[in-house]
Amino acid sequence: MAGQTDSEYGVGHWSQQDNSESDKQSGIYNDTMKALMEQAAVTSEGEANPHGFVAGIDWWSMYNWYVNHSQWIQTMGLMHMDREQEKDVAELLRNDYGRLAEQTR
């Protein structure tokens, strides 16, 4: 393929149980989304980009979860273990998904 971008969100940072690194988690999301949108077939304003590529972003973990084999909390989720408290990145994702879905109908 002539142009292809692959990325996996969260490789470098989790939010931590106490949310102490949620700003870093949000920063990685923002940087990843920006990089994808720069090459996408549709701009972040919903305009066609004839030189763009089909791009997608998927957040694969809704909640933090307990890792039994090493007894720690995996903190990549959009929500904390209580399944009630959202992280900052959840609002970013909801806003971006909503805006893009509305603009590309």
Side-chain angles (χ1 to χ4, degrees), residues 51-63:
H51 304 292
F53 300 93
V54 174
I57 185 170
D58 174 50
W59 195 286
W60 61 273
S61 55
M62 181 71 173
Y63 306 104

Side-chain angles (χ1 to χ4, degrees), residues 2-78:
Q4 181 175 334
T5 301
D6 295 315
S7 176
E8 181 179 345
Y9 170 80
V11 172
H13 248 82
W14 299 340
S15 66
Q16 304 304 325
Q17 279 184 266
D18 63 358
N19 225 23
S20 62
E21 297 191 9
S22 66
D23 59 330
K24 292 179 183 179
Q25 186 180 46
S26 294
I28 290 171
Y29 169 79
N30 284 328
D31 290 347
T32 301
M33 188 64 160
K34 180 181 177 204
L36 288 172
M37 292 309 299
E38 286 174 355
Q39 299 297 320
V42 178
T43 68
S44 58
E45 293 79 31
E47 300 295 322
N49 175 7
H51 304 292
F53 300 93
V54 174
I57 185 170
D58 174 50
W59 195 286
W60 61 273
S61 55
M62 181 71 173
Y63 306 104
N64 290 349
W65 69 89
Y66 180 74
V67 180
N68 189 38
H69 60 79
S70 52
Q71 299 183 357
W72 53 278
I73 305 283
Q74 203 285 4
T75 61
M76 276 191 202
L78 292 172

